[in-house]
Amino acid sequence: MQTVTIPSQDMEFLVGKILCIGRNYVDHIQELGNEVPTAPVVFSKPASSLIHNGDVVVIPSMSAQCHYEAELAVLIGDGGKNIPESQALAAVAGYAVAIDMTLRDVQDRLKGKGLPWDIAKGFDTACPLSDFVPTECVKDPQDLTITLSVNGEVRQQGATSLMINSVAKIISYLSSIFTLEEGDIILTGTPAGVGQVVAGDTMVASIDGVGSLTIGVTQQSF
Ligand code: MG
């Protein structure tokens, strides 16, 4: 089983569902040529896809185009069903920075055929995640800056104020479909600036006041 921690509170959580929101920033929707969704786009990653600070993403041999997507991650503490938006942030135990690694070529191929693209998002190492900080460290989750650099060069920088659906809205919406449980993690979407990494690259994703995540990249060779 996978666990995540809030080190400052000496707390450890068994990881449950990892629910992810797609197309949550208009500028990122435009760069991929997608339509603005009428309801949040939801997909999931298995807990087995989690890796931690200092680990390495292994691009599967089926892909020649692996993209990074830096995102704010939310850890559920007190979950529930049908959580009203006004109470949604009380369900949060902590915040972290995540990278939603995506096999863009595999995803596009499967999407084009109308097939599910789980493997493009859920392969082993597809979910690098920092340690969590408690909610007290984040005054407003809609007032954070997400940055990702590759080999020291900033590639992605975006403000969470530009989310189409706020963290509270996302929690409320997801809880109307899935019962949210302690240890569930939500990835809240990526701003513009996604791009490719290749073997030998080093990514650093960070959110001021939340955390930083350094992740290497390698390619599966068989
Ligand atoms: Mg994403």
Side-chain angles (χ1 to χ4, degrees):
M1 296 293 288
Q2 289 269 9
T3 59
V4 293
T5 56
I6 305 180
S8 66
Q9 294 184 330
D10 205 18
M11 290 178 78
E12 189 174 42
F13 295 77
L14 271 179
V15 177
K17 300 179 281 303
I18 305 176
L19 298 170
C20 308
I21 302 297
R23 304 185 199 174
N24 201 28
Y25 290 79
V26 171
D27 50 356
H28 169 61
I29 293 170
Q30 287 166 345
E31 74 180 348
L32 289 188
N34 286 318
E35 284 175 23
V36 177
T38 48
V41 174
V42 180
F43 62 93
S44 67
K45 291 177 185 266
S48 53
S49 67
L50 273 184
I51 57 171
H52 303 282
N53 188 37
D55 289 343
V56 173
V57 168
V58 181
I59 304 171
S61 52
M62 72 176 101
S63 175
Q65 191 187 30
C66 184
H67 276 189
Y68 54 80
E69 299 184 356
E71 312 200 359
L72 173 67
V74 174
L75 175 64
I76 298 297
D78 289 320
K81 180 85 179 162
N82 295 322
I83 301 170
E85 193 181 325
S86 60
Q87 290 166 34
L89 292 183
V92 177
Y95 296 95
V97 57
I99 312 176
D100 168 15
M101 298 306 299
T102 304
L103 307 177
R104 193 72 68 200
D105 50 352
V106 175
Q107 184 191 33
D108 287 347
R109 210 151 54 225
L110 291 166
K111 252 192 202 169
K113 292 180 182 165
L115 294 169
W117 30 269
D118 299 46
I119 59 173
K121 292 281 198 179
F123 62 95
D124 285 352
T125 74
C127 193
L129 183 68
S130 73
D131 286 334
F132 283 83
V133 295
T135 51
E136 300 89 89
C137 296
V138 176
K139 279 200 188 77
D140 179 0
Q142 305 311 137
D143 185 24
L144 299 169
T145 302
I146 303 172
T147 305
L148 182 137
S149 64
V150 179
N151 305 330
E153 183 185 310
V154 174
R155 298 275 186 89
Q156 217 183 354
Q157 198 154 51
T160 58
S161 60
L162 298 176
M163 284 184 187
I164 296 170
N165 294 288
S166 66
V167 171
K169 263 199 184 129
I170 290 168
I171 291 170
S172 178
Y173 176 74
L174 289 176
S175 76
S176 73
I177 302 162
F178 310 96
T179 297
L180 294 180
E181 299 169 301
E182 184 183 280
D184 286 349
I185 294 167
I186 301 168
L187 269 53
T188 56
T190 195
V194 304
Q196 188 174 355
V197 281
V198 296
D201 285 345
T202 300
M203 302 178 284
V204 178
S206 62
I207 300 176
D208 286 344
V210 172
S212 172
L213 184 59
T214 301
I215 298 289
V217 180
T218 186
Q219 175 95 37
Q220 192 182 24
S221 57
F222 53 88

